[in-house]
Amino acid sequence: MMKIRFLQVAIGVLVLYACSPQKEEVQSPKRPNILFIMSDDHAYQAISAYGSELIETPNIDRLANEGMRFSNATVTNSICAPSRATILTGKHTHINGKIDNLMPFDTTQVTFPQIFQANGYQTAMFGKLHFGNNPKGVDDFMILPGQGYYLNPDFNTPSGDTTIMGYVTDVITDLTLTWLKEKRDEEKPFMMMYMHKAPHRPWWPRPDKFAEFTKKQFPEPESLFDDYKNRGTAAKTAEMNLLTHMMYSHDSKIRPELVEKMGDKASPKVEEFENGFYGPYGRATEEQKALYDPILDSINSWFEQNWPSLTDEEKMKWKYQRYMQDYLGCISSVDDNVGRVLDYLDESGLAENTIVVYTSDQGFYLGEHGWFDKRFIYDESFKTPLMVRWPGTVKAGTVETEMVQNLDFAQTLLSAAGITPPSDMQGESLMPLLVGDKEKWDRDAVYYHYYEYPSVHMVKRHYGIVTEEYKLAHFYFDVDEWELYDRLNDSKEMNNVIDDPAYAEVVDELKAKLTELRVKYKDSPELDSLFIEKYRSLQVEKGNDFW
């Protein structure tokens, strides 16, 4: 009997051991660290690794040169908070609830940092999250409330709110480096989210970058004066034209009192955000203002003397240059600070076992089609930069053209760490592409859906399917229009060929595939109608008069 009892106990111990998480495996230092770097509204056209003629970004380029650059990385919904919700959950926005910047995120959703944390990773988040003030699954965090500020930013922290003096891009990097140097548990792998506010509008470069970039002139995009003659209603009615919608004070930094003084001479009239200039500027200390003021004085003096005599074409060109000077000045600081972190990884020996990802929450228009902002399924908005460096695993200097999305990030990072992603995530792990095993990659199209209309910039609701060869989009709600673009022969997307008989078969095939994707991702006309009604109710509740 004693032998039988001993055997039963032994078997029980073995069963318990087999069913329990093994700390040795979970906490193995051989599991890769992960550094996820994300900027806000960083257009791929403003990264030199993507062929930019506007700016050199040598530090961000390192990740492309030492890893993989994706040339067809895209988003599922090109607007800030929805993109971030998709990244965190690995689900389309109609599933995670964050379809636009108004609708609430479904807080019952599991985020990938929670999964890393539960699997023995030390987790941290510093920078811009954009929704919520208590991110799930992170051991330590300091996040900007809402959009945050460029100057002397406020932060939400586990122990309360605080303000840190300095320029936001430098401050977020300081926090990241302090955590890596002083708070990191060397016995655990880490998953760090290092997320910049820049280059989100309104663009306030650091004073030295402001002085440097206001002296520069930048090449104009071919479609700066686009007339949209071969496009649909959506492109013709969007409100994001540089001349007629970019604001004098909020964007170009003309002091409000000067705009008021000039009256009709400051034309065309543009509706301004309340406190659009003095909101950001007012956060500066007297010492900081002393650095900004000489440059602001120069810009304002030129505007007062020259603006009334300019033609509309000259005004458009001037606004474009002012836009690029500030936007690119912000990016230059991002690049410098990414370099600080990459240098530390090298110096500390962490680089060898750290996956570094650089991306943006979406793309951005840099004057293409005469626009700024994002939202559309058109490439400058729809595509986003994505570079992944993983020494010893990802071949240096490779370029991947397959269609990938921010929907895939969560599953990719979990898979890279040896963690099985939840079955309800909707993306695909990029591991086959990263390790050069492309025969295991079978996706040929991605799905897109934008919801926030009517709203600022007035980009109509639309959904679509995109392959390497074609893009088909359906604009709905107050229109019913289809657009088709030949991505290989019309890379600037200037000619909608939906009614061209030569593409009739392509249209039929893509519409059928789009229907399949909507079913696959659990989207539907019924959900479209539901979200319209929810959005209407929210807008009415907030007193907005879009309806």
Side-chain angles (χ1 to χ4, degrees):
M1 285 293 295
M2 290 184 63
K3 289 183 178 180
I4 294 172
R5 177 63 179 161
F6 177 80
L7 184 60
Q8 288 173 331
V9 171
I11 290 172
V13 170
L14 287 171
V15 169
L16 284 171
Y17 181 84
C19 293
S20 301
Q22 301 305 302
K23 290 185 177 181
E24 291 78 12
E25 179 181 343
V26 169
Q27 296 184 356
S28 169
K30 294 182 180 179
R31 302 177 82 188
N33 303 308
I34 294 168
L35 175 63
F36 182 83
I37 310 173
M38 186 166 72
S39 52
D40 192 315
D41 292 342
H42 190 174
Y44 64 90
Q45 312 95 284
I47 296 177
S48 42
Y50 280 87
S52 177
E53 297 179 353
L54 297 169
I55 190 172
E56 291 293 324
T57 51
N59 295 297
I60 295 172
D61 289 359
R62 283 174 57 186
L63 298 175
N65 297 334
E66 299 168 9
M68 179 176 288
R69 175 174 66 84
F70 290 82
S71 63
N72 268 317
T74 67
V75 297
T76 66
N77 184 354
S78 185
I79 187 168
C80 298
S83 175
R84 293 159 188 269
T86 290
I87 289 169
L88 286 170
T89 62
K91 298 174 185 177
H92 277 276
T93 53
H94 61 273
I95 300 295
N96 65 48
K98 195 64 182 167
I99 61 167
D100 54 46
N101 281 335
L102 286 177
M103 293 288 285
F105 175 66
D106 176 3
T107 56
T108 66
Q109 295 285 330
V110 174
T111 65
F112 80 82
Q114 288 177 277
I115 301 172
F116 272 100
Q117 187 183 55
N119 280 270
Y121 269 73
Q122 188 181 16
T123 57
M125 178 186 293
F126 296 102
K128 181 178 177 181
L129 175 61
H130 194 195
F131 62 92
N133 57 10
N134 188 19
K136 298 189 295 184
V138 291
D139 301 317
D140 194 10
F141 68 88
M142 294 186 73
I143 58 172
L144 302 168
Q147 295 287 2
Y149 295 101
Y150 278 102
L151 305 179
N152 308 319
D154 302 326
F155 286 89
N156 298 137
T157 80
S159 57
D161 300 342
T162 189
T163 300
I164 300 179
M165 304 305 289
Y167 185 68
V168 68
T169 308
D170 300 331
V171 171
I172 291 169
T173 304
D174 292 343
L175 295 172
T176 299
L177 287 171
T178 297
W179 188 90
L180 288 170
K181 294 175 181 179
E182 300 176 10
K183 298 183 179 181
R184 181 175 62 86
D185 183 344
E186 296 185 5
E187 299 302 313
K188 290 184 176 182
F190 66 81
M191 196 289 296
M192 156 74 78
M193 302 188 77
Y194 164 45
M195 305 198 295
H196 286 290
K197 169 185 171 57
H200 194 280
R201 182 189 187 205
W203 310 282
W204 279 81
R206 200 174 60 197
D208 59 322
K209 300 290 186 181
F210 194 33
E212 175 188 352
F213 277 77
T214 49
K215 297 174 184 176
K216 296 185 177 186
Q217 292 289 300
F218 300 94
E220 298 168 359
E222 295 176 16
S223 59
L224 181 62
F225 295 96
D226 195 348
D227 60 8
Y228 318 113
K229 66 180 180 180
N230 296 317
R231 263 59 52 76
T233 303
K236 295 170 183 173
T237 58
E239 297 180 358
M240 45 198 217
N241 180 270
L242 295 179
L243 178 63
T244 55
H245 301 114
M246 183 165 275
M247 301 173 184
Y248 296 117
S249 298
H250 183 259
D251 298 315
S252 299
K253 298 183 178 55
I254 306 305
R255 293 188 176 96
E257 55 268 28
L258 176 57
V259 176
E260 183 177 357
K261 171 187 172 184
M262 291 177 66
D264 291 340
K265 292 181 180 180
S267 66
K269 288 296 180 185
V270 180
E271 185 177 350
E272 290 277 352
F273 290 139
E274 184 179 356
N275 215 22
F277 176 85
Y278 283 111
Y281 177 79
R283 294 187 65 84
T285 64
E286 292 305 312
E287 292 78 8
Q288 290 167 334
K289 288 177 181 177
L291 298 173
Y292 280 109
D293 282 344
I295 310 153
L296 291 170
D297 290 345
S298 176
I299 292 169
N300 279 257
S301 175
W302 189 97
F303 184 86
E304 183 175 17
Q305 293 174 28
N306 295 280
W307 189 258
S309 64
L310 299 182
T311 66
D312 281 353
E313 180 177 333
E314 290 170 331
K315 290 176 179 178
M316 182 83 153
K317 289 173 174 282
W318 184 87
K319 278 195 169 183
Y320 169 75
Q321 293 299 332
R322 279 271 50 248
Y323 170 28
M324 287 299 94
Q325 289 163 358
D326 292 350
Y327 178 89
L328 296 170
C330 291
I331 286 175
S332 182
S333 287
V334 172
D335 187 70
D336 290 348
N337 279 281
V338 167
R340 291 174 61 200
V341 175
L342 295 182
D343 287 347
Y344 174 73
L345 293 181
D346 289 342
E347 294 161 5
S348 64
L350 287 170
E352 183 179 342
N353 192 39
T354 300
I355 300 170
V356 181
V357 177
Y358 185 87
T359 191
S360 174
D361 51 357
Q362 63 262 321
F364 214 70
Y365 292 103
L366 306 185
E368 299 89 359
H369 309 294
W371 289 334
F372 63 105
D373 209 68
K374 54 247 182 182
R375 300 167 195 267
F376 275 113
I377 196 173
Y378 308 139
D379 269 6
E380 292 85 0
S381 164
F382 170 65
K383 288 173 60 174
T384 195
L386 177 62
M387 287 154 279
V388 180
R389 185 183 76 178
W390 189 357
T393 299
V394 175
K395 184 179 178 182
T398 53
V399 177
E400 181 52 69
T401 64
E402 293 285 350
M403 302 299 302
V404 304
Q405 286 195 297
N406 57 352
L407 185 70
D408 305 324
F409 294 175
Q411 280 156 284
T412 301
L413 296 176
L414 290 168
S415 298
I419 303 168
T420 302
S423 59
D424 63 346
M425 284 187 172
Q426 295 182 304
E428 303 286 342
S429 171
L430 303 182
M431 284 298 293
L433 302 179
L434 292 172
V435 302
D437 197 6
K438 287 187 69 168
E439 62 270 16
K440 293 183 180 178
W441 180 262
D442 60 3
R443 177 198 280 161
D444 60 0
V446 294
Y447 179 63
Y448 181 87
H449 199 154
Y450 173 78
Y451 298 87
E452 193 168 300
Y453 174 87
S455 185
V456 63
H457 298 303
M458 297 301 280
V459 173
K460 294 186 182 298
R461 292 170 181 255
H462 58 289
Y463 57 85
I465 179 174
V466 186
T467 70
E468 287 192 52
E469 296 82 17
Y470 299 105
K471 178 178 296 179
L472 178 74
H474 180 218
F475 292 84
Y476 69 98
F477 176 50
D478 58 353
V479 294
D480 182 9
E481 296 181 3
W482 289 85
E483 297 183 11
L484 176 70
Y485 295 93
D486 186 329
R487 300 186 73 215
L488 299 183
N489 295 307
D490 179 24
S491 62
K492 305 296 183 184
E493 297 175 322
M494 301 294 286
N495 189 28
N496 173 21
V497 294
I498 192 70
D499 294 323
D500 187 334
Y503 290 89
E505 187 175 338
V506 172
V507 172
D508 290 342
E509 290 177 357
L510 288 177
K511 282 187 175 180
K513 179 68 173 176
L514 177 57
T515 299
E516 292 174 6
L517 285 183
R518 280 176 54 92
V519 171
K520 173 182 177 180
Y521 293 122
K522 301 179 182 179
D523 203 0
S524 67
E526 291 76 19
L527 276 180
D528 298 345
S529 298
L530 175 64
F531 288 134
I532 287 169
E533 288 309 310
K534 285 188 174 183
Y535 186 77
R536 186 195 305 271
S537 298
L538 274 174
Q539 290 284 20
V540 170
E541 182 181 314
K542 291 178 176 292
N544 294 333
D545 60 359
F546 294 119
W547 300 92

